[in-house]
Amino acid sequence: MKFAIVNNTKTEATKGVKGICPSCGSELIAKCGELKINHWAHKGNRTCDPWWESETEWHRSWKNNYPKDWQEFVLLDDKTAERHIADVRTANNLVIEFQHSHIDPNERATREKFYKNIIWVVDGTRLKRDYPRFLKNKKDFRSTGRTGIFLVDYLDEVFPLNWINSSVPVVFDFKGLQQIDNPKDERENLYCLFQVRLGRYGVLSEISRKAFIETTINGEWTTRVQKFLSKLIQPKQEQKEQEARQQLTQANIIARRREPQWFLDRGKWKRRRRL
């Protein structure tokens, strides 16, 4: 953990100092050395949040883009008393989880259900094959006519399998902590895979790091994403309604054809079915 409570203040790990866990209230010990980044650890092997993972410099680098009060924010479910520590929770109640290590899809889905308004930022440098695979397939992305918005087929060939079925947006960071001299390098931007599908296609947005950080801080991210997704979903819903109307019309035509037809034969009304 980056922070502990020391004298009622959110404090980073300092050698020789003891603190209190903001989640479970137990004692924390400052771990400060040359091999690992400074952090707080529970006394013994205890951990209060099973979702918590050992932090890397990549985690810290991302978290440092946000105010200290937003980092390692403890969230409590009032109904179940379950509590977890979000990497970042903004003033607009957006949770941002920075994920470096592998995550089981079931745990991913459980976290999404708990946090609700959440976005993932995934370290795309963890596995060496992930960025080359992405770059190889990028040339086949279909343009939507909107700058930076693409349709992506065969998602399992482009992104790690455990992320393509997320119920919330997933942002891939293929640069990590690397220093890249070319400002036009593909890794300078972030790539957001949205949770909606247009037929068999996934929807991907290429965005700058600066824009992502700014919009998640000022609250525009959630609003923009909601508007963007509603515009995508609305035509799809209208198409479904049109197809339903067409099916109903066709059913009515068939029903009318099957209705009995009356005709006059030698002064008597007789009935026959239409073919």
Side-chain angles (χ1 to χ4, degrees), residues 9-274:
T9 303
K10 205 171 185 178
T11 307
E12 293 191 44
T14 305
K15 191 173 183 178
V17 176
K18 294 182 180 180
I20 300 298
C21 176
S23 178
C24 67
S26 61
E27 184 179 359
L28 296 178
I29 300 174
K31 299 286 187 178
C32 305
E34 297 180 358
L35 298 179
K36 294 183 178 181
I37 57 176
N38 292 355
H39 65 281
W40 294 97
H42 286 82
K43 196 172 183 180
N45 295 322
R46 180 180 177 183
T47 178
C48 63
D49 189 345
W51 293 351
W52 194 259
E53 65 174 338
S54 298
E55 284 197 326
T56 64
E57 287 286 356
W58 176 81
H59 281 95
R60 289 290 177 89
S61 176
W62 264 108
K63 287 164 71 171
N64 286 337
N65 291 306
Y66 299 90
K68 181 171 70 172
D69 290 344
W70 294 5
Q71 298 179 39
E72 297 185 5
F73 197 95
V74 180
L75 289 171
L76 172 68
D77 187 321
D78 293 331
K79 295 181 179 179
T80 65
E82 182 179 1
R83 65 176 69 214
H84 294 287
I85 307 171
D87 285 331
V88 167
R89 208 283 292 267
T90 73
N92 296 285
N93 300 325
L94 173 66
V95 170
I96 309 175
E97 284 283 274
F98 304 105
Q99 190 66 27
H100 168 78
S101 62
H102 169 79
I103 185 172
D104 180 83
N106 292 328
E107 180 180 322
R108 187 210 70 229
T110 301
R111 292 199 203 185
E112 291 168 2
K113 184 178 180 181
F114 179 85
Y115 289 128
K116 298 179 178 63
N117 186 24
I118 171 181
I119 182 170
W120 295 97
V121 178
V122 177
D123 185 358
T125 68
R126 184 178 72 89
L127 298 178
K128 293 182 179 180
R129 67 175 181 269
D130 282 351
Y131 176 64
R133 178 176 61 176
F134 171 83
L135 191 62
K136 176 183 177 182
N137 288 281
K138 191 173 186 293
K139 65 181 184 298
D140 297 322
F141 293 174
R142 293 185 57 180
S143 174
T144 62
R146 299 181 59 179
T147 302
I149 305 295
F150 304 94
L151 298 181
V152 182
D153 203 356
Y154 303 108
L155 288 172
D156 58 333
E157 297 181 7
V158 182
F159 298 106
L161 188 61
N162 56 324
W163 289 110
I164 62 176
N165 293 316
S166 175
S167 63
V168 299
V170 179
V171 174
F172 293 91
D173 173 13
F174 291 113
K175 179 182 177 182
L177 297 177
Q178 301 174 77
Q179 296 296 322
I180 300 175
D181 296 330
N182 181 8
K184 295 183 179 180
D185 190 286
E186 303 280 357
R187 291 167 291 184
E188 288 293 345
N189 288 326
L190 302 171
Y191 298 88
C192 180
L193 178 64
F194 293 100
Q195 64 269 40
V196 299
R197 298 290 180 265
L198 296 182
R200 70 175 189 269
Y201 294 100
V203 182
L204 185 74
S205 174
E206 182 177 9
I207 55 180
S208 72
R209 293 169 187 274
K210 181 180 179 181
F212 175 77
I213 294 168
E214 287 181 350
T215 55
T216 52
I217 288 177
N218 62 27
E220 291 182 7
W221 172 267
T222 300
T223 304
R224 289 185 182 185
V225 169
Q226 288 175 345
K227 288 182 178 179
F228 173 69
L229 294 182
S230 66
K231 289 180 180 179
L232 289 177
I233 296 173
Q234 186 174 4
K236 189 175 180 180
Q237 182 63 31
E238 290 175 352
Q239 182 181 358
K240 287 183 178 180
E241 292 175 356
Q242 183 179 1
E243 291 174 352
R245 288 194 295 269
Q246 291 174 347
Q247 291 174 359
L248 180 60
T249 301
Q250 187 66 24
N252 289 335
I253 292 173
I254 294 173
R256 285 198 298 270
R257 286 176 178 174
R258 292 177 177 175
E259 289 177 356
Q261 184 181 24
W262 294 89
F263 64 96
L264 189 64
D265 181 17
R266 298 178 184 181
K268 294 182 179 181
W269 288 99
K270 294 184 179 181
R271 184 178 66 178
R272 69 183 174 197
R273 287 190 173 275
R274 294 180 180 179

